[in-house]
Structures are given as C-alpha cells and as structure tokens.
C-alpha cells in the first residue's frame, strides 16, 4: 500500500509538469495511473477504466485552474482564442461524459487507445505542428467553425477524461501560435471539460464502489487526493521555467510523451 501511495505522489509530480509544459491537465498521465492503481486494489464491482477516467477528470479541475492562473499572470493567454470556444467545449464535455457513463469502461479503453494513435499520427504526418512556418502570424478562429469544433472537442475529451489539450494544442498550433502559447491556452480550455465531466461522473457515475470505500460516483477520492498532493507544488515550481523551451523541441517532446503514454497503456492488463 505504501508503494502505491508513493507511486501516486510521484506521478502526481509528473502530472504537474505535463499540465504546465504541455497543457494536459493530467489526463494522459492520470488515466493509465489510476487504471493500474484501481486494478491493483481489486475492489469488487469496480470498473477500473470508468474510475480512471472520472478521477482523471476531477484531478484536472484543480490542476487546470491552478495552471490557468499561473499562465494568466505570465500574460500568455489570448482571449480571442479562448472565447467562445471554451463555452462550446464545456457543453460538449457534459454530453460526452453522460454518454461515457452508459458506455462503460471497455469502450472507453478502446477509444482511448484509438484517440492516442490518431493524435500522434496527425501530429507527425500533417504539416504545421512539429515545425511552425517561418514568420507565421497567428490567425484568429473562424466564427463559423468555433461552435462545431468546440462541441466536438468537448464531447471526445469529456468521454475520455483527458482534457482538451490534445485537440486544442494542435488546433492552436496550426493557427500559427508558438507551442508555448498553444500549451498555455490549453489549460483554460481544459477547465470547462473538467468541471462538466466531474459533475457528471460524481453524480451519475456507476464505476466506483461507493462512498464507504472512498468513491464519489466513479471518482476515486483517495487516488485523486494523492495525485494532487504531488501535482500542485510541482505546478507552482515548473511554471517559472515553462516559457524557456525552444519551439521545435517543445513540439517534438509533446509527441514523444503521447507515444510513451500509448506504449504504457498498451502494456497494462
């Protein structure tokens, strides 16, 4: 049990790093971590993947709000790229989370893997992500597409409990933003996903074992608290250095991290 606690604290620190540097909010780290933690506890009647997604979403509420405040203070947020996209992402997330409570963990597991594969392939094969065009000026979002894009991002990320970063970062990157700004704005765009999803999973989630075993709906309160105990101090520390990463190295490391997460997830039972 002690080893599990220390592992969650350590990986909470990693979550803090990925929240600030990549805008993940923790989802792509916490989902496989909580999934493995839940399987190890072997609680009867618990859907490990459903609990992992729900707990990841709850952790992202705190992480993304903390990182958003840090990014706001550093002056790296642009309102034109955040609103009204954030509103539609929040609406889509609530719908995605509701569908997820009915779909079950096995469907979420399969789609989580597919989602990672597609995202990695898209980042590598399509132009505009790994290398930013020289002299490219950031372009504003198209009003006609904001609603559709926001609802789509929210639905997918709410269903999978991963925040909006892995869809919003490539989107903002291809609008001409440097990686530092694209990942910074992924944090506020993750907040509506996390809030809407957590509310749904806490009130209607059926993957957990009940309040007497530390669950609120499908949210594992113990695992979530341990992850936050590691992530919050790390966010406060790492935010001071996030803007110093070269753009190309930042983009490449983003794809590398997704690849590592995919490999780890495929190795889990």
């Amino acid at each position: 049990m002690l080893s599990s606690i220390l592992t969650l604290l350590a990986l909470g620190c990693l979550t803090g790093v990925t929240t600030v540097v990549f805008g993940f909010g923790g989802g792509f780290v916490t989902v496989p971590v909580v999934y493995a933690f839940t399987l190890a506890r072997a609680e009867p009647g618990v859907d490990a993947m459903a609990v992992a997604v729900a707990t990841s979403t709850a952790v992202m509420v705190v992480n993304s709000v903390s990182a958003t405040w840090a990014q706001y203070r550093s002056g790296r947020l642009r309102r034109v790229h955040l609103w009204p996209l954030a509103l539609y992402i929040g609406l889509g997330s609530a719908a995605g989370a509701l569908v997820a409570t009915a779909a079950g963990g096995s469907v979420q597991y399969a789609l989580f893997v597919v989602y990672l594969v597609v995202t990695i392939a898209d980042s590598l094969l399509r132009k505009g992500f790994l290398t930013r065009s020289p002299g490219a000026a950031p372009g504003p979002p198209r009003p006609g597409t904001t609603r559709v894009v926001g609802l789509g991002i929210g639905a997918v990320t709410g269903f999978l409990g991963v925040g909006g970063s892995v869809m919003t970062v490539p989107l903002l990157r291809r609008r001409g933003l440097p990686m530092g700004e694209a990942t910074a704005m992924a944090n506020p765009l993750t907040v509506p996903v996390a809030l809407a999803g957590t509310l749904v999973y806490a009130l209607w989630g059926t993957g957990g074992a009940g309040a007497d075993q530390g669950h609120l709906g499908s949210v594992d309160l113990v695992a979530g608290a341990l992850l936050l105990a590691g992530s919050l101090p790390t966010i406060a520390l790492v935010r001071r250095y996030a803007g110093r990463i070269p753009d190309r190295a930042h983009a490449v490391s983003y794809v590398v991290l997704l690849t590592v997460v995919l490999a780890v997830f495929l190795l889990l039972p």
Side-chain angles (χ1 to χ4, degrees):
M1 185 62 181
L2 178 61
S3 62
S4 295
I5 292 173
L6 294 176
T7 299
L8 285 170
L9 287 171
L11 290 169
C13 294
L14 177 60
T15 296
V17 173
T18 61
T19 297
V20 177
V21 177
F22 301 108
F24 283 174
F28 279 101
V29 176
T30 55
V31 169
V33 167
V34 178
Y35 179 75
F37 178 73
T38 306
L39 286 177
R41 293 169 72 178
E43 295 173 315
V46 173
D47 186 329
M49 188 62 188
V51 169
V53 169
T55 306
S56 165
T57 307
V59 168
M60 282 192 298
V61 172
V62 183
N63 281 348
S64 58
V65 168
S66 177
T68 295
W69 175 244
Q71 304 289 12
Y72 171 77
R73 293 182 64 186
S74 69
R76 298 168 71 193
L77 303 182
R78 299 191 186 193
R79 186 181 182 279
V80 67
H81 292 284
L82 296 177
W83 188 262
L85 184 61
L87 170 64
Y88 296 118
I89 286 176
L91 294 173
S93 176
L98 280 171
V99 173
T101 60
S106 59
V107 176
Q108 287 174 297
Y109 181 97
L111 292 182
F112 188 89
V113 172
V114 171
Y115 180 73
L116 275 172
V117 171
V118 170
T119 301
I120 293 167
D122 179 70
S123 299
L124 291 173
L125 300 176
R126 267 213 301 165
K127 294 181 179 180
F129 184 82
L130 289 180
T131 303
R132 186 179 175 220
S133 300
R142 298 176 182 176
T145 62
T146 297
R147 183 184 300 108
V148 175
V149 169
L151 290 172
I153 290 173
V156 172
T157 55
F159 186 92
L160 298 177
V162 293
S165 60
V166 179
M167 297 183 79
T168 57
V169 169
L171 171 69
L172 296 171
R173 178 73 167 162
R174 291 191 172 96
R175 285 178 180 171
L177 293 177
M179 276 296 292
E181 291 189 18
T183 54
M185 282 186 284
N187 291 133
L189 290 174
T190 294
V191 174
V193 173
L195 285 173
T198 299
L199 182 63
V200 171
Y201 289 128
L203 294 179
W204 294 288
T206 58
D212 58 330
Q213 295 189 44
H215 290 85
L216 179 62
S218 294
V219 179
D220 187 328
L221 300 176
V222 176
L226 289 170
L227 288 166
L228 287 172
S231 68
L232 292 178
T234 306
I235 289 172
L237 178 65
V238 174
R239 67 180 177 82
R240 304 174 187 177
Y241 307 98
R244 304 179 187 180
I245 305 172
D247 188 76
R248 169 78 175 179
H250 201 168
V252 171
S253 59
Y254 184 93
V255 178
V256 169
L257 180 59
L258 290 183
T259 305
V260 171
V261 171
L262 174 62
V264 170
F265 209 74
L266 290 174
L267 290 173
L268 292 172

